[in-house]
Amino acid sequence: MNGDVLLTCPDLGLPLVHRGKVREMFDLGDRLLMVATDRLSAFDVVFPTGIPGKGRVLTELSVLWFRATESIVPNHVVTTSVAGLGLRPEHEALLAGRSVVVRRARRIDVECVVRGYLAGSGWKEYRQTGAVCGVKLPAGLSLNARLPEPIFTPALKNDVGHDENVTLDEVARRFGQETAFRLRDLSLALYRFAAERAERAGILLADTKLEFGWDGDRLILIDEAFTPDSSRYWPVERYRVGEPIDSLDKQPIRDWAEASGWNKEPPAPPLPPDRVAETAARYRSVLERLRPVLS
């Protein structure tokens, strides 16, 4: 395994608050240390093989987007430095570039999904109902068609298994109308900003998911922002309406898994080296394209 791959964190001498599919959260008192590992999940299952450099790509890209969008909504980032946390030198070196100290926030359990194009599960739902999460769309749209306007299609978060797509009305019923409308409006504003910046870099932001939390009575952006793990990125030169598009993310892994005969239940099988290398290259390419328009 490549020496840059961090599948699980070592014992940092800090209490582990949460272990997600990709990130691990450690207790710093009034703050948290968020570490992006190189783990990869597909079909809600974590694979035993990591993607070299993935955690560092996710961290740098998120931080660039957090900084670029601060005028739209504040976020949870305090610092990207791990100095002064009492870590051993070897742990500081291991975590550098893949860790962020963040504010504690009360997470709102809604995946704030924004779609600018008709793809993925949105396309499947549209074919069945003519709508996505209760948002009625024009008839006759094709796969990957650009929507007249970006739409907010939330989902209730589920840390085990699939998130549940719901309507804006259901979000309002659970979390209050004012919160639901703020989540929608902020998500759409962030998507429009990010889509415009990405297009400057030759990338189409087909859809994305965002997370928000409460810092006191202040709504802030948390978790990650516009990474290939949370966003569907298409190179402009590959964009086609009506046929599948090879996106700049873990699509090589999804394709291999679909063809492998694996039943999509744990445990996941080891990944072939060529698919690992191709996926790592795609993650790097997104960062390399976007860095100039975000720095």
Side-chain angles (χ1 to χ4, degrees):
M1 187 66 62
N2 186 299
D4 193 41
V5 174
L6 180 66
L7 289 180
T8 57
C9 284
D11 181 2
L12 302 178
L14 299 171
L16 179 66
V17 175
H18 177 73
R19 173 167 288 163
K21 295 184 180 76
V22 174
R23 287 175 176 78
E24 305 197 347
M25 307 290 286
F26 295 89
D27 191 351
L28 298 176
D30 62 340
R31 297 175 180 177
L32 297 169
L33 176 65
M34 183 171 70
V35 180
T37 74
D38 292 333
R39 292 192 295 261
L40 179 137
S41 69
F43 310 108
D44 291 314
V45 180
V46 177
F47 282 79
T49 316
I51 305 299
K54 178 173 177 279
R56 289 188 167 87
V57 169
L58 297 181
T59 299
E60 182 178 350
L61 195 51
S62 283
V63 169
L64 286 171
W65 280 116
F66 280 133
R67 289 172 178 164
T69 58
E70 282 179 326
S71 62
I72 299 173
V73 61
N75 58 70
H76 67 165
V77 174
V78 176
T79 179
T80 57
S81 172
V82 294
L85 300 182
L87 299 173
R88 292 160 54 182
E90 63 268 28
H91 290 164
E92 282 195 15
L94 185 65
L95 299 184
R98 62 168 72 247
S99 305
V100 183
V101 175
V102 300
R103 294 176 180 84
R104 284 185 178 271
R106 303 190 314 278
R107 187 183 77 176
I108 301 172
D109 289 335
V110 177
E111 288 279 11
C112 293
V113 180
V114 181
R115 304 173 190 272
Y117 295 77
L118 195 54
S121 63
W123 165 244
K124 293 177 184 176
E125 186 176 347
Y126 171 77
R127 292 177 67 190
Q128 294 170 351
T129 68
V132 182
C133 293
V135 180
K136 191 71 176 175
L137 294 174
L141 296 178
S142 299
L143 173 67
N144 302 330
R146 186 167 189 162
L147 299 175
E149 293 289 338
I151 59 174
F152 179 65
T153 59
L156 299 179
K157 285 190 65 62
N158 184 356
D159 287 332
V160 179
H162 297 283
D163 296 332
E164 177 190 353
N165 289 346
V166 293
T167 64
L168 179 63
D169 286 344
E170 178 62 18
V171 175
R173 188 183 72 81
R174 291 178 180 242
F175 301 96
Q177 187 176 81
E178 182 179 356
T179 295
F181 286 0
R182 288 182 69 189
L183 292 175
R184 177 197 63 187
D185 294 347
L186 284 173
S187 297
L188 289 170
L190 287 165
Y191 173 84
R192 289 188 175 100
F193 176 90
E196 187 275 331
R197 287 293 182 95
E199 198 155 357
R200 288 191 212 171
I203 299 175
L204 299 178
L205 178 58
D207 50 52
T208 194
K209 58 183 179 181
L210 302 162
E211 292 189 25
F212 295 87
W214 292 107
D215 176 26
D217 59 358
R218 184 176 69 150
L219 195 62
I220 64 173
L221 185 62
I222 64 171
D223 193 49
E224 63 179 344
F226 302 109
T227 74
D229 271 6
S230 63
S231 306
R232 194 188 312 265
Y233 282 119
W234 293 330
V236 169
E237 65 273 14
R238 293 186 202 164
Y239 179 60
R240 301 287 185 277
V241 176
E243 58 188 74
I245 300 173
D246 203 11
S247 50
L248 291 171
D249 55 19
K250 52 191 171 187
Q251 195 61 47
I253 304 301
R254 294 192 196 98
D255 293 343
W256 176 85
E258 290 276 13
S260 70
W262 172 51
N263 64 3
K264 300 179 185 176
E265 296 292 333
L271 297 171
D274 62 328
R275 297 301 176 106
V276 170
E278 171 62 18
T279 301
R282 291 186 184 209
Y283 275 72
R284 288 194 305 271
S285 73
V286 172
L287 174 59
E288 289 163 2
R289 287 194 188 207
L290 289 173
R291 190 189 280 127
V293 301
L294 293 174
S295 300

